[in-house]
Amino acid sequence: MSRMTLQGVPSAPVPPPPRWAVLAAHLTALVVLPSGLWRIALVLGHPAGYTEAGFEPFTAVDDKVWMLALSVVSELVALLTLGLVRPWGEVVPHWMPLIGGRRVRPLAAVVPAALGAAGLTLIWATVPFWWTYPHEDLTATGNLVVGILYQPLFLWGPLTAAVTVSYYRRHRVRGRG
């Protein structure tokens, strides 16, 4: 059974994502969650490990908006990884204006995902060394807890990269012959 593109040209069926890629995509969304929840605690007025003086800058409205936006946007970006293992990563959902129902060109998903994975890997590469940096504004317990909550971010880039490679392999054009 062949599939048809929107232009009516037959296209090769895309194999389903491997189980490990689906798991990795879901883990991507989960590794971002602890740090986001910690920032939301700060937004809600809990010092979350900061000393009284260290917490003071986080009481300003613009800082709260920034932390909340950072948490929400980070989680939404992480959730985009699910598109690499779900049907909406192959065909744009119909409810999307102008482009709904169109096939996603593989490189339109792979290039941003690969660049994102590389960037995230670079950004979070030093997180395992959290405890070697001074954190004067945190209590000793806060330093430990925040370090633990941020450690999963180290996996964000590599998990995204693995899922991206899986997506690419499933969608690459196979030579005919």
Side-chain angles (χ1 to χ4, degrees), residues 27-36 38-39 70 74-75 78 117 119-128 146-160:
L27 282 174
T28 302
L30 292 176
V31 299
V32 178
L33 196 56
S35 59
W38 175 76
R39 285 189 298 273
L70 178 61
S74 294
E75 195 61 42
L120 290 166
T121 300
L122 289 172
I123 289 169
W124 299 113
T126 61
V127 168
V146 173
I148 291 169
L149 294 175
Y150 269 75
Q151 289 304 307
L153 290 172
F154 178 73
L155 300 173
W156 190 2
L159 285 169
T160 302

Side-chain angles (χ1 to χ4, degrees), residues 40-119:
I40 289 171
L42 290 172
V43 169
L44 295 175
H46 188 280
Y50 275 100
T51 62
E52 190 173 321
F55 181 66
E56 187 62 33
F58 297 105
T59 59
V61 172
D62 57 340
D63 289 323
K64 290 182 178 199
V65 169
W66 163 248
M67 287 185 296
L68 185 59
L70 178 61
S71 297
V72 170
V73 169
S74 294
E75 195 61 42
L76 289 174
V77 168
L79 286 168
L80 282 175
T81 307
L82 292 172
L84 299 172
V85 297
R86 293 285 177 245
W88 53 271
E90 296 174 11
V91 177
V92 179
H94 288 284
W95 57 264
M96 295 282 295
L98 303 175
I99 60 171
R102 292 188 182 180
R103 289 179 53 79
V104 174
R105 293 181 185 258
L107 288 180
V110 169
V111 171
L115 291 173

